[in-house]
Amino acid sequence: MYRLTNTVRPYAWGSTTAIPELLGAEPTGEPQAEIWMGAHPGSPSRITRDGLQVPLNEVIDADPAAALGAGTADRFGPRLPFLLKVLAAGAPLSLQVHPDLVQAKAGFADEEARGIPIDAAYRNYKDANHKPEMIVALVPFDGLCGFRRPTEAADLIEALGVDSLKPYVDILRARPEDAALRETLAAVLTADPESMAASVTEAVEAATRLATAPGPYADSYAAYVSIAQSYPGDPGVIAAMLLNYVRLQPGEALYLGAGIPHAYLNGLGVEIMANSDNVLRCGLTPKHVDVPALLRIVRFESGDPGILRPSASPEGEELYDTPIDEFRLSRYALTPGDTPRVLNDRTPQILLCTQGSALLRSTTDGTELTLPRGGSAFVPAGERVEVAGEGTLFRATVVA
């Protein structure tokens, strides 16, 4: 097993304090958005071998069967199929959606055939993989996830009393669900920018009043006001009103499958995803928004956000169950004096301590490693590890 040295990504929406606090470091005053743990070539974790720092992706490339196990390498190819992150949102991320595997393969092949450079700002598909993901809150965490029922979205928008938004209300009330959501989102994202900016300004003024008034949508209005402070005049502010607002409590999670529009707004969490960069944006961003491509992959159906809570096994593993195989995320609440927990060794693992400290002991070679808060380690397939200590330890792996 190897202690990981990880890269902190300084995106503009990142918190200036949450990651430094997790790592026990002094804030720099600059936003620190994500800690990447894994073998993504954009920012691979590094391990120490023979006194040298080596990128984890190079370790895996050199001998995939040894690092991943033959079964994982055969199923997912010679690379770690997931990326683990700590995500610290100090401002809203873009409103976005991810393709399914069939859509990703077709979209990537199409853009390759058309000769669109992989780094082009208007490119949608960076690879041929899907990108299901899950976020587990470490503190109260705000987000948007999936569509509201059209009639509920109509009520929320109508209560703002903004005349220019009335056509959207009419569509939401008059059409069947799929058509209502599709037509409204398309109309919002293709509206005249100047007129839309004026509508957003008026809507935010009304939402500011309604956020402090009694009513079922007060918390949602407050979230939209906060969004607009980061993205004034952006049509994504109105598009966000079509989505469910959700606040996760620590330990609760959201799973974001293909076609589900979502945005993270504020908070600190552990995120895991399939190893892909495919994102199509719906607003709250200065980046490219490809409306026709977006409309092809969004699932225009309403539903509850589906807050996940872990289920505990007799061995003490608390599993966040998801319907895909590329990642499997669980956690352990470690208590002094408990019998060490033995982790399955059939698949590669990344272990992350988010509270207290964890002692890892390899029963393969007897080595020990202590992870402080914010510390992480990579355990190759075939190496059996016992964990003990006092704190919270997340375990990321694949479905065996």
Side-chain angles (χ1 to χ4, degrees), residues 34 49 58 81 95 99 106 109 126 131 145 161 189 196 229 236 254 262 304 314 324 328 339:
E34 297 179 340
R49 271 187 169 178
E58 294 183 10
L95 188 61
K126 307 295 186 183
K131 193 186 178 186
C145 178
L189 296 182
M196 175 55 69
Q229 290 172 348
L254 286 176
H262 61 279
D304 184 274
I324 55 109
R328 180 185 187 277
T339 301

Side-chain angles (χ1 to χ4, degrees), residues 154-323:
D155 290 344
L156 183 149
I157 295 171
E158 187 173 42
L160 296 170
V162 177
D163 288 343
S164 59
L165 300 182
K166 188 176 184 302
Y168 307 140
V169 173
D170 293 341
I171 294 171
L172 290 166
R173 294 203 191 283
R175 304 283 196 275
E177 179 172 285
D178 179 284
L181 296 171
R182 180 184 298 273
E183 291 178 29
T184 304
L185 182 64
V188 168
L189 296 182
T190 58
D192 173 72
E194 187 174 338
S195 298
M196 175 55 69
S199 297
V200 170
T201 298
E202 193 176 349
V204 171
E205 291 173 354
T208 302
R209 297 192 300 272
L210 293 170
T212 58
Y217 304 124
D219 289 345
S220 296
Y221 289 130
Y224 304 139
V225 171
S226 177
I227 290 169
Q229 290 172 348
S230 297
Y231 301 99
D234 192 299
V237 176
I238 305 302
M241 295 181 182
L242 302 174
L243 306 186
N244 296 299
Y245 164 73
V246 61
R247 166 162 280 198
L248 300 177
Q249 296 304 316
E252 294 180 335
L254 286 176
Y255 171 73
L256 292 315
I260 304 298
H262 61 279
Y264 301 145
L265 303 181
N266 185 72
L268 180 72
V270 173
E271 185 183 32
I272 190 167
M273 61 186 61
N275 212 341
S276 171
D277 292 321
N278 286 327
V279 176
L280 280 83
R281 294 173 177 85
C282 321
L284 308 182
T285 178
K287 295 182 179 180
H288 177 58
V289 177
D290 186 334
V291 176
L294 183 69
L295 297 179
R296 288 194 292 271
I297 71 168
V298 171
R299 290 171 53 187
F300 290 100
E301 56 187 51
S302 64
D304 184 274
I307 294 176
L308 296 176
R309 297 172 181 85
S311 56
S313 72
E315 294 77 29
E317 184 181 33
E318 300 175 346
L319 174 65
Y320 292 91
D321 194 22
T322 59

Side-chain angles (χ1 to χ4, degrees), residues 3 12-13 25 29 33 47 74 79 88 134 137 186 247 255 281 291 320 345 360 373 383 397:
R3 186 185 304 277
W13 50 260
I47 67 171
D74 288 345
R79 66 172 190 164
M134 179 168 59
R247 166 162 280 198
Y255 171 73
R281 294 173 177 85
V291 176
Y320 292 91
D345 64 350
L360 316 181
R373 187 170 184 239
E383 183 168 2
T397 184

Side-chain angles (χ1 to χ4, degrees), residues 123-147:
R123 178 148 184 163
N124 295 315
Y125 295 92
K126 307 295 186 183
D127 53 67
N129 200 17
H130 62 164
K131 193 186 178 186
E133 61 188 40
M134 179 168 59
I135 186 84
V136 180
L138 296 179
V139 300
F141 192 100
D142 294 336
L144 304 172
C145 178
F147 286 109

Side-chain angles (χ1 to χ4, degrees), residues 1-3 334 339-345 349 351 357-371 377-380 382-389 393:
M1 60 184 171
Y2 304 94
R3 186 185 304 277
L334 304 176
T339 301
R341 315 290 172 77
V342 179
L343 307 186
N344 188 298
D345 64 350
Q349 312 174 63
L351 305 177
S357 65
L359 175 64
L360 316 181
R361 180 180 178 274
S362 170
T363 61
T364 302
D365 61 14
T367 58
E368 294 187 347
L369 189 62
T370 298
L371 296 183
F378 175 71
V379 182
E383 183 168 2
R384 179 155 294 195
V385 171
E386 296 179 341
V387 298
L393 183 73

